[in-house]
Structure formats: structure tokens, C-alpha cells
Amino acid sequence: MDDIDLAEPHLLSWLATVGLDAHYVRAEGDHLYRLDDEGREIPVVDFAGGYGSLMLGHNHPDILACAREMLDHQAPVHAQFSRHPYAKRLAAELNAIVRRETESDEMYSVIFANSGAEAVEVAVKHAELDRVMKVAELRQEIAANIDAARAAVAAGEVSVSGEAAIAAGLDTTDFASLAARISEVNEARATTPPLLFALEGGFHGKLMGSVQLTHNAAYRNPFAALGTSVRFVAPVDISALPKIFDEERVDLLDLAVTGSEITVVCRPLPLFCAFVLEPVQGEGGIRALDARSAEQIQAACARVDCPVVVDEVQSGMGRTGTFLASSAVGLRGDYYALSKSLGGGLAKTAVMLARSSRYRPEFELVHSSTFAKDIFSTTIALKVLELLEADGGVAYARAAERGAYILDMLRSVQRDFPDVVADVRGRGLMLGLEFHDQSASAIPAVRRHAEGGTFGYAVAGTLLERHRVRTFPTASAPNTLRFEPSIHIGDAEVAQLEAGLRDVCAGLRAQDAAALVDH
Ligand code: F0G
């Protein structure tokens, strides 16, 4: 029974085909360690960084000490439905940072979660609760206006205008018929499904709700029946958002008393649930949103009261050189999702921040999580923020400096191998190198990987085996390798990556059959 692997054996067998089925026994800083045949540790420099979860590296000593302190003092990890002063402090600290970076004094309420996808789903759930409550509030307002008009008609003060009858599609100015028609129309329109928008190439998780927002069809299509359909916006269509939104508009009918006449007024139905986006797309290929697009999205969404959910799960926590990647392009979220590095490489945690002007306290009574907001992950998150904010936020400057250093190296590789490297992009320590399509390679193995969408993984396996460098492609853009090390990444490790990349590029250029390790 022992040799049967029931823990995702299919994935592991596939990892073995590209040489990525490594077993790591220890991790520290920017290194993972595997054992050689004699049991000696072999250091592997980690540029995958837990998909962006290791701003401070593996097993940071201060974070380890923080964890040990809690464990040694029997911290009450499971204390649901009680006071959580550490959560209150974390919410306050996050607010101070976000308000500083967005140059705003508006508060954000914080809901805790356990993963990135969960934080995104909590944001969309809250946005939908807010929308549903707004629809109910609008309908109550309309009902009150109808009652007021009915009273005015009964008092002989007003009468139904001909335009009102026409607007309601009636051939009578009888008030009762008008009121009945308005109620009938509004009843049908009020249940129009919510509209959700996301960007093409976006990745927001693979849970039942968040996968609907993830553009990659392979991840999303099998589960489409389980969730609300999302409209994906191409970068080229961002400038057309006002028109796209106008085409989706649905109005409820309302009555107004103007002088001695009753008129029909159109009231936009709160239809727009959320526009979810990453300021720098990670899994979709390291693609940064430019300031102009950010401004256009922000303005179009504000016009129709569509909240913007800024997914900073991967780009946040200082990775791009500012705490929020979105603040660097002037994008202000109605909601933020943060996770990955918030857990300091040790804890699983996430938060959703909701702008106070949109916050619905009722949400706290209809949403919960067993593990979220616990003392262990929350205290570690506080230690992470302390380390990031120390010495005036030198960590963010270091992320920018280290990122620029690595970007310079990647650009030098691109300059020397323009026939192999198509693009280098990213910001801070969220970087990508895109290879040209290798489907026409003279090397059968390379052609096979290119055609099968596994070329980036084959390169990653080669870098691991030959150069002890760990990285992965961005899964939805498999020709793009991603580089997301910690702020402590050293010049020697960058040189190790450079040597590996140059080795692979030279082999691909020479159409050398041994360019990639073939498993
Ligand atoms: N949002 C973004 C922007 C992400 O990059 C991820 C995960 C998630 C949400 C989901 O977070 O895995 O904790 O549920 N990104 C990984 C990647 C999977 O490959 O970049 P999760």
C-alpha cells in the first residue's frame, strides 16, 4: 500500500517528464535545498519564490522567531467569535499603508481570508451584497414615489401626463394602470443578473467563483456552469468601456411629480457587480497595466458605479517597488485583495480591503471562515508589514533596485539573443522573459514542447538540472519565464540565472539537440 501515490500522482508524473519533480528538504532565504545521492545538500536558487509569496525569502529568521514565540506560549490559534486585537492592529496597519500610497484619508474595512482566490471571492461577494442592497434600496425609493404620486392623484392635485403613459407603453392615463405597469416592468428588470468584468489574460484563482474571473479557458470552461459569466475585456477595448457599459444599461421606471403632472423617470439599475483586475498580470505573462488604461477603467467604472477590485495577491506587498502595484499607476481600488507574501513565507493568509463608502457591516454576519483572522497568521502578517515598513520602507526601494538589476541582466540576454528572446518585461521583482515561439525548431524535443505548450517548463527543467536555478513559466503564457525572488536576492544568484539563460539561448540558437534536457 505504501508505494501507491494518491496525492496528485498525475501531476507529479508530468513534472517528471520535464525534470521538475524535485524533492526539497530545506529552504532558507532565496535557496531551496535538495539532497544528492550521498545525502549532501545541493542549493537551488529560487526565482519562482512561491509564485510571488516570498518577498522576505524562505524561513526569514525574524518571522521564524515570531512563529516560535507564539507556539512556545500556546497562542490561541482557534478562538473564533471572540476579540482579535491582533487582527484589529493588522487592519489599522494596512489602512495606514494603503491610505499613504493612495494619498487618501478614506478608511478601508478588512475581511480576513486564507488564500488569494478566497480574498478575490470575498471582494466579489461583498460587492454583490452591496449591489443587491442598492437594488432593494432603489426599489423601496420607487415604491415610496409611487405611493406619493397615488396620494397626489387621489387629492386631485396631479394627473398622469400623456408622455408618462407613452413612456410606460400604455394607451391610457389611468394612474392604477400606470402603477401596475411600472411594478410589472421593474419586477422583471430588477432580477437582471449582475455584470462582472475582468481583463483578458487575467488570473484571479481557481475556486468555483474565482475561476469564472480567470481568463484561461482551460481552467475556466469546464466549470462555467457553476458560476456567473464574466465579460473579458481586451486591452484594445479598454478605451471603449463607456460604450460597452452603456450597451449593458438597464433602467427601472420611477414616477416623479412635476408641477401638476406625473412623469415617468428612468433610474439606472445597479447592475455592475465588479471589475476585477491585476495591476500587473502574473500568471497571465507578467503584463503591467499602464497608467492610461488604469485611468480609463477607473473613470468608466466610476460613471456606472461599478466597483474596481484590485487583485494585488501577487503584485502587492511591495513586490513591484511600492506596497501596491496599482498605486504606481494611479489606480484606486474600491476593493483590494492581498495574500501570498502577507504570510511571510510561513503562514497561509489573505485579506480583502473594502472602501468604507461601500462597506456593508451586514457582510460580517453572513460571511465567515474557520481559519481566517487567527492569531498565528495575523501576527506573522504584522511582522511582515513591520519588516517591509522598517527604515522608511527601504524594502520597497530594495525591491525596485534588485528588480532593475535583474531586468538589466535580462535585457542584456535579449540584446545578445534577439532571435531567441522575444521580450523582457515587468516591474520591481515581478519580471518575465518571453521566448520566441519554438514550434519551427529543428530540434524535435523542442518542437514537441512548443507545440504542446510545455516549452517554458522544459526550459525550467533544464535550468534546474544544469544550473540549479528554479523558476517556472507563467502557466497561461507558457513561453514566458517568471522571476520573483526575495528582496535579498544577491548578485551571485542573478549571475547564476544569467549563466543558465545564456546556456539555453545558445543551445536553442545553435539548434543543438541537447539545448534542453530531454526526459
Ligand atoms: N490572484 C492572483 C493575481 C494570483 O496570482 C493568484 C495565484 C491568485 C489570485 C490565487 O491565489 O493560489 O492563493 O488561491 N497565483 C498563482 C500563480 C497560482 O501561478 O501566479 P491562491
Side-chain angles (χ1 to χ4, degrees), residues 51 115-117 203-205 278 283 311 313-314 340 482:
Y51 296 145
S115 70
F203 182 96
H204 301 289
E278 299 154 272
E283 200 269 357
D311 182 348
V313 163
Q314 184 163 168
K340 291 186 191 274
R482 70 168 96 184

